[in-house]
Amino acid sequence: MDLSSYINFWDQTIESLFANSSVKSLPLNLGIKIQEDYMPEPYMGDPNNCSFVIVNLNPGTGVCHSCFKQQDINGTLINKAKTLGYSTA
């Protein structure tokens, strides 16, 4: 999968999670367990213009910036992803 397809895939996948609040997991089989209350973070930053890319499918502990319960709180990553799209957040 080329980079553009990867970015589009994750934009669409994350958008579908916001559109269907009854979805409790990703609509694909990644072969891994995920935390259902958190938005997946397939990358951080701009993969088209970067010195490195961090693959981060599910966040660890810390500030709940990607928790679905925080999606309507301004300034959180999940709110930016919901309103702007993941790739522009």
Side-chain angles (χ1 to χ4, degrees):
M1 177 181 297
D2 65 27
L3 184 57
S4 179
S5 297
Y6 181 83
I7 291 169
N8 289 334
F9 170 81
W10 280 106
D11 277 344
Q12 292 170 3
T13 298
I14 292 171
E15 185 177 331
S16 74
L17 292 173
F18 288 119
N20 186 354
S21 61
S22 66
V23 172
K24 292 295 183 187
S25 62
L26 292 176
L28 65 155
N29 182 1
L30 294 176
I32 59 173
K33 286 185 119 177
I34 66 164
Q35 296 178 20
E36 295 172 351
D37 294 335
Y38 295 85
M39 175 184 67
E41 297 177 24
Y43 56 89
M44 300 296 285
D46 180 359
N48 289 303
N49 184 20
C50 61
S51 58
F52 66 94
V53 173
I54 298 171
V55 175
N56 185 25
L57 294 178
N58 210 221
T61 61
V63 176
C64 190
H65 64 92
S66 62
C67 180
F68 281 109
K69 295 175 185 174
Q70 306 286 359
Q71 64 182 294
D72 295 321
I73 297 177
N74 289 334
T76 59
L77 173 62
I78 195 159
N79 178 262
K80 292 176 185 175
K82 181 180 180 181
T83 57
L84 303 173
Y86 186 83
S87 64
T88 55

